[in-house]
Amino acid sequence: SKDEWDYFRNGPSTWVTKFPMAAGSRQSPVNIETKRVESDHEALSSKPLRWKYPATASRKLVNPGYCWRVDTDGEGTFLSGGPLMDDVYKLEQYHCHWGCSDSRGSEHTVDGQAFAGELHLVHWNTSKYKTFAEAAKASDGLAVLGVFLKVGKTHEEMDKIARLLPYVSHKDEVVGITEPIDPGKLLPVRGGRAGTQRCVNPCMRWADRIIPRHENKWDFQDDNGYWTYLGSLTTPPCNESVTWILFKKYIEVSHHQLNIFRNLRKFPRGEECPCHENHGVVINNFRPPLPLGNRVLRECGS
Ligand code: 1SD
Ligand code: ZN
């Protein structure tokens, strides 16, 4: 039908025929050529990237047929600073991209190298727009935090999602989240201990002082550095509305956890399995990198 797309027959190279925005000059993902990144330390670190995600905001886990996605109620969440300056963004949802094996799966690549997966936290600009849909059409409407996944040890917070995935094994299935899932714990940052929060000075180094949580309205700040550029949604309709912020540090998830992702079905329960399409499992749900063109890739932090 008119707005059908996938990662198989109607894969990324065909998207432009139905979704003209996919042919634009501000598309995502891109390859990050680390030698050609512009260090913009002063401009970016004058306002550290900061966020807050109450664990209660994660409401339901969904299988839309092409990934898993956690929808939030946005309540009490925010992201600000860095390339976003003073605009405040709210967390709408987070989801993941992965491969058929551990050697591929990320959308962005670093010096041509793919990771086993890529987690996306999708935010919208509440300072300028009234709804997610309105923000998704604006050039500064969305901000996506990207985290690379590497195979290693089991990730505890990710395991809460992995344990729920069997309940949404088929397309369009949804399960309510009862055990709180904290998306902040999926980010590759040194966290504060319960009740305390270390603070970061403006040149992005950890300060000695451990400040009590009640003194700090932010949950976390970035410490490890990130790459940032202006791009698009990586799925149709590929709106050019995203400020991308990719953490330089990856997180580890286990091979077993990725295999649980790879067991999701892209067809609804009760429908016939499209056996000619890898038995209808959700794998390789990533868009390959597109040209950076004349866009600037900036970095912040070590
Ligand atoms: O892939 C997601 C897609 O699922 C949808 O959530 C969209 C936002 O409406 O975002 C893209 S992505 O660009 O974050 N990969
Ligand atoms: Zn994504």
Side-chain angles (χ1 to χ4, degrees):
S1 80
K2 197 174 117 302
D3 49 6
E4 257 182 316
W5 60 272
D6 61 28
Y7 294 97
F8 195 73
R9 289 267 149 74
N10 305 307
S13 63
T14 72
W15 293 352
V16 292
T17 58
K18 288 175 185 164
F19 309 96
M21 278 185 282
S25 53
R26 186 190 149 170
Q27 288 292 296
S28 294
V30 297
N31 174 42
I32 296 152
E33 222 179 303
T34 55
K35 275 206 217 99
R36 286 180 43 189
V37 162
E38 287 187 24
S39 180
D40 198 349
H41 216 262
E42 227 153 87
L44 288 173
S45 60
S46 65
K47 288 236 183 279
L49 186 67
R50 294 165 153 173
W51 57 85
K52 188 183 184 93
Y53 303 128
T56 49
S58 299
R59 301 312 296 269
K60 53 188 191 178
L61 178 66
V62 186
N63 175 351
Y66 53 87
C67 66
W68 58 254
R69 188 182 76 224
V70 172
D71 289 340
T72 78
D73 60 15
E75 227 31 64
T77 67
F78 64 68
L79 172 70
S80 190
L84 312 175
M85 307 299 282
D86 290 324
D87 283 0
V88 174
Y89 289 65
K90 225 180 219 199
L91 181 64
E92 173 79 3
Q93 48 104 330
Y94 49 101
H95 64 268
C96 200
H97 304 262
W98 58 87
C100 58
S101 71
D102 297 346
S103 60
R104 56 204 290 222
S106 66
E107 301 213 285
H108 292 86
T109 53
V110 180
D111 293 326
Q113 295 295 304
F115 286 78
E118 192 172 322
L119 175 73
H120 289 158
L121 278 67
V122 182
H123 307 74
W124 61 281
N125 188 335
T126 59
S127 299
K128 291 197 178 153
Y129 308 103
K130 284 196 198 72
T131 62
F132 176 83
E134 190 194 338
K137 291 182 210 143
S139 66
D140 58 353
L142 304 182
V144 182
L145 289 184
V147 181
F148 293 116
L149 269 49
K150 199 172 164 162
V151 171
K153 52 182 192 295
T154 302
H155 194 293
E156 293 308 327
E157 204 65 15
M158 194 67 94
D159 219 48
K160 295 182 185 172
I161 295 166
R163 284 197 298 265
L164 283 177
L165 287 179
Y167 296 97
V168 295
S169 58
H170 288 73
K171 184 177 191 276
D172 300 330
E173 290 181 333
V174 182
V175 66
I177 292 169
T178 48
E179 183 190 9
I181 301 175
D182 181 352
K185 289 191 181 153
L186 298 171
L187 302 180
V189 293
R190 283 197 281 179
R193 286 176 276 119
T196 62
Q197 172 69 61
R198 300 190 79 186
C199 77
V200 179
N201 70 21
C203 35
M204 308 301 285
R205 280 191 208 95
W206 289 95
D208 296 333
R209 194 168 78 100
I210 293 190
I211 55 171
R213 192 181 277 273
H214 68 262
E215 275 182 36
N216 192 350
K217 67 172 179 158
W218 316 95
D219 263 358
F220 290 104
Q221 297 195 158
D222 167 63
D223 172 40
N224 296 301
Y226 55 83
W227 294 292
T228 182
Y229 76 99
L230 298 178
S232 72
L233 295 178
T234 64
T235 55
C238 301
N239 302 28
E240 297 187 326
S241 56
V242 181
T243 301
W244 279 95
I245 300 169
L246 298 154
F247 288 102
K248 291 186 179 180
K249 206 169 164 235
Y250 55 79
I251 61 166
E252 282 185 19
V253 301
S254 69
H255 176 73
H256 176 66
Q257 289 180 311
L258 284 167
N259 274 347
I260 295 172
F261 297 1
R262 293 177 186 126
N263 207 26
L264 290 176
R265 309 303 153 107
K266 53 187 183 184
F267 59 95
R269 186 178 295 276
E271 259 185 32
E272 219 179 301
C273 160
C275 289
H276 52 287
E277 292 181 21
N278 300 313
H279 298 277
V281 294
V282 180
I283 49 169
N284 299 330
N285 56 348
F286 59 90
R287 186 189 196 189
L290 290 133
L292 185 63
N294 52 23
R295 287 176 288 176
V296 183
L297 241 160
R298 295 187 294 163
E299 73 176 335
C300 184
S302 45

